[in-house]
């Protein structure tokens, strides 16, 4: 009771990781187009994410290894192992490099919603100074290489993000009865299937599974800590899901408006609910951007470290080289407004394949007695996990078809 934050673990980083600018944008569009009616999809997302993240955390804590390390040791030698490890590297390392520019740009939009544009022109070249600021903050925190420092910083950012979006939702004076009804009773408005899939897809994130398994053994070393790790996961994912719901609720107050981003939401809310709404959305979007800008390179470094057997440690040379490369790419993309469309499309296809593959492998690993012993899955957990696997398969197919222009 003297220190309520003592048992807080990597859950704060995981919650911050899946509430990125992309999630905020998808939730904004869902609220504007469909009002409260798709809140149930976030409830489903929360349940699916808790199941998968708890499994990843359990594997990480019991084995005291990252998920990519476990894959490398548990999968039989041959083409299958090479394919899966190659897919993981492509989807997460290359993918996070491509997405990093968007993470930093999201944080920039949040700062711009608070005031000046941050753009400085040198002749015909325009440079966004805010992206350099966010990149610099991310660099310092990652270079320190101290898990406890990251944990405390992310706890502050998650609290800031949560308060920002919750206050914004409250300012719009939502219909509480309608919220509760929409959160638990599924409905399918016309042309809403892709949006439902997008809402689940922004919450169930492949790289978070790898990040969680690696970070949980930075916090806890004993199998007796599994209940604390499980509680940390459940609380963090529920909190993250509620934050996403608050974005939908806030956007619902502008139902039917022509808004295509969270920055547009901030500008549109101000005339109706005062400058507090704009500042709250701006701060929330900044926190979402900067946390994702840190967790994406961190996850990629952990994945590469495990897949390529590069050794351990946040301060190791290879680990730092990987996250530095991804962060620098992201800063350059955001600073000069470059969008590597083909690389992003490749990453989306790779992630679309990776999500159901990793979900299936997680279920397989969670049933390995030689890996988890008495901590392996129960029949009930397996039943729930198989349902989640079906959902991830749908998400993966949708992501691939969308990139190919079929959907």
């Amino acid at each position: 009771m003297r220190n309520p934050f003592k048992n807080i673990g990597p859950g704060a980083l995981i919650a911050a990781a899946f509430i990125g600018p992309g999630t905020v944008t998808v939730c904004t569009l869902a609220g504007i187009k469909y009002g409260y009616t798709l809140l149930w999809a976030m409830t489903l997302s929360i349940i699916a994410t808790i199941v998968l993240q708890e499994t990843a955390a359990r594997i990480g804590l019991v084995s005291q290894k990252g998920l990519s390390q476990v894959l490398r040791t548990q999968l039989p030698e041959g083409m299958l192992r090479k394919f899966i490890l190659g897919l993981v590297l492509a989807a997460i390392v290359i993918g996070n490099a491509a997405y990093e520019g968007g993470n930093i740009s999201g944080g920039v939009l949040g700062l711009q919603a608070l005031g000046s544009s941050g753009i400085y022109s040198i002749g015909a070249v325009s440079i966004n100074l805010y992206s350099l600021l966010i990149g610099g903050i991310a660099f310092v925190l990652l270079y320190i290489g101290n898990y406890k420092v990251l944990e405390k910083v992310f706890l502050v950012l998650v609290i800031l993000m949560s308060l920002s979006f919750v206050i914004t939702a409250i300012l719009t004076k939502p219909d509480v009865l309608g919220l509760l009804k929409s959160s638990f009773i599924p409905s399918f408005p016309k042309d809403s299937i892709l949006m439902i899939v997008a809402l689940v897809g922004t919450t169930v994130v492949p790289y978070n599974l790898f990040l969680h398994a690696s970070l949980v053994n930075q916090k806890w070393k004993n199998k007796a800590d599994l209940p604390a790790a499980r509680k940390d996961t459940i609380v963090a994912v529920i909190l993250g899901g509620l934050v996403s719901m608050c974005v939908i609720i806030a956007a619902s107050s502008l139902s039917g408006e022509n808004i295509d981003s969270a920055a547009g939401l901030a500008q549109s809310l101000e005339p109706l609910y005062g400058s507090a709404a704009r500042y709250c959305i701006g701060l929330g979007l900044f926190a979402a951007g900067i946390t994702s800008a840190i967790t994406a390179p961190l996850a990629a470094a952990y994945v590469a470290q495990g897949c390529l057997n590069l050794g351990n440690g946040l301060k190791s040379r290879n680990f730092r080289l990987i996250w530095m490369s991804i962060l620098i790419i992201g800063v350059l993309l955001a600073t000069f407004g470059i969008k590597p469309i083909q690389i992003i499309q490749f990453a989306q296809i790779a992630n679309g394949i990776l999500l159901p593959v990793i979900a299936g492998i997680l279920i397989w690993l969670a049933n390995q007695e030689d890996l988890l012993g008495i901590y392996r899955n129960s029949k009930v957990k397996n039943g729930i996990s198989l349902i989640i696997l079906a959902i991830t398969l749908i998400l993966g197919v949708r992501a691939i078809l969308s990139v190919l222009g079929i959907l």
Side-chain angles (χ1 to χ4, degrees):
M1 292 301 292
R2 291 179 182 177
N3 187 359
F5 300 116
K6 183 179 179 181
N7 289 322
I8 291 177
L13 281 80
I14 301 307
F18 75 70
I19 313 171
T23 302
V24 176
T25 299
V26 169
C27 291
T28 296
L29 297 176
I32 288 169
K33 192 166 184 179
Y34 300 105
Y36 298 160
T37 56
L38 298 186
L39 285 172
W40 66 269
M42 283 308 308
T43 304
L44 174 65
S45 301
I46 291 169
I47 295 169
T49 305
I50 286 173
V51 171
L52 292 177
Q53 294 293 161
E54 188 277 334
T55 303
R58 179 158 35 103
I59 291 170
L61 197 155
V62 173
S63 69
Q64 286 295 297
K65 295 177 181 177
L67 191 55
S68 52
Q69 289 175 297
V70 173
L71 288 177
R72 187 166 46 79
T73 55
Q74 289 289 315
L75 291 171
E77 287 190 27
M79 289 304 298
L80 178 63
R81 184 167 77 172
K82 290 179 181 178
F83 169 75
I84 291 173
L85 293 180
L87 180 62
V88 168
L89 279 170
I92 295 180
V93 178
I94 297 174
N96 283 9
Y99 296 141
E100 183 69 352
N103 293 332
I104 295 173
S105 296
V108 168
L109 287 174
L111 290 176
Q112 288 176 337
L114 301 178
S116 65
S117 66
I119 296 175
Y120 182 74
S121 297
I122 304 174
V125 180
S126 294
I127 298 175
N128 197 312
L129 297 180
Y130 284 152
S131 63
L132 297 177
L133 172 65
I134 291 171
I137 294 171
F139 184 93
V140 170
L141 289 172
L142 287 169
Y143 194 83
I144 289 172
N146 187 307
Y147 169 74
K148 289 184 178 179
V149 171
L150 282 175
E151 187 179 82
K152 290 175 182 177
V153 169
F154 271 75
L155 182 60
V156 172
L157 289 171
V158 167
I159 291 172
L160 172 63
M161 190 175 2
S162 303
L163 289 175
S164 297
F165 290 128
V166 168
I167 291 171
T168 306
I170 292 172
L171 287 174
T172 62
K173 299 177 181 178
D175 173 12
V176 177
L177 190 60
L179 290 180
L180 292 173
K181 181 180 177 182
S182 299
S183 296
F184 297 101
I185 301 176
S187 62
F188 299 86
K190 185 180 178 182
D191 300 324
S192 64
I193 295 298
L194 289 182
M195 184 61 74
I196 292 168
V197 173
L199 285 171
V200 179
T202 59
T203 311
V204 184
V205 184
Y207 87 71
N208 270 354
L209 300 171
F210 290 87
L211 184 62
H212 204 170
S214 295
L215 290 176
V216 75
N217 54 57
Q218 297 276 340
K219 174 72 177 182
W220 293 293
K221 302 293 183 182
N222 197 311
K223 294 174 185 177
D225 293 319
L226 270 172
R230 187 174 291 116
K231 181 180 179 181
D232 175 62
T233 301
I234 293 170
V235 171
V237 173
I238 290 175
L239 175 62
L242 290 176
V243 170
S244 297
M245 285 180 161
C246 285
V247 178
I248 296 175
I249 294 165
S252 297
S253 66
L254 299 172
S255 183
E257 295 285 330
N258 186 24
I259 298 169
D260 60 2
S261 68
L265 175 64
Q267 294 172 352
S268 300
L269 285 174
E270 185 175 17
L272 296 174
Y273 305 105
S275 59
R278 175 168 65 89
Y279 287 124
C280 284
I281 288 286
L283 285 171
L285 188 55
F286 165 70
I290 196 168
T291 52
S292 294
I294 296 170
T295 53
L298 186 63
Y302 273 124
V303 165
Q305 191 179 61
C307 287
L308 302 175
N309 196 22
L310 299 177
N312 295 314
L314 285 165
K315 296 182 180 181
S316 72
R317 180 173 174 269
N318 289 325
F319 191 90
R320 282 178 167 169
L321 283 174
I322 294 163
W323 67 250
M324 281 181 189
S325 300
I326 290 172
L327 183 58
I328 290 169
I329 290 170
V331 170
L332 290 174
L333 293 176
T335 301
F336 297 104
I338 302 168
K339 294 182 179 179
I341 301 300
Q342 291 181 329
I343 298 175
I344 290 174
Q345 287 178 336
F346 166 77
Q348 287 174 328
I349 291 174
N351 270 298
I353 299 170
L354 179 64
L355 183 57
V357 169
I358 290 301
I361 289 174
L362 273 179
I363 297 171
W364 174 69
L365 289 174
N367 284 279
Q368 298 303 301
E369 187 172 1
D370 63 326
L371 178 67
L372 297 180
I374 62 171
Y375 303 103
R376 64 188 186 276
N377 267 11
S378 64
K379 290 182 180 179
V380 174
K381 282 185 178 179
N382 278 331
I384 297 172
S385 297
L386 288 173
I387 295 172
I388 303 301
L389 175 60
I391 293 171
T392 62
L393 184 60
I394 294 169
L395 287 173
V397 171
R398 182 263 175 189
I400 295 168
L401 294 180
S402 177
V403 172
L404 296 176
I406 298 173
L407 282 180

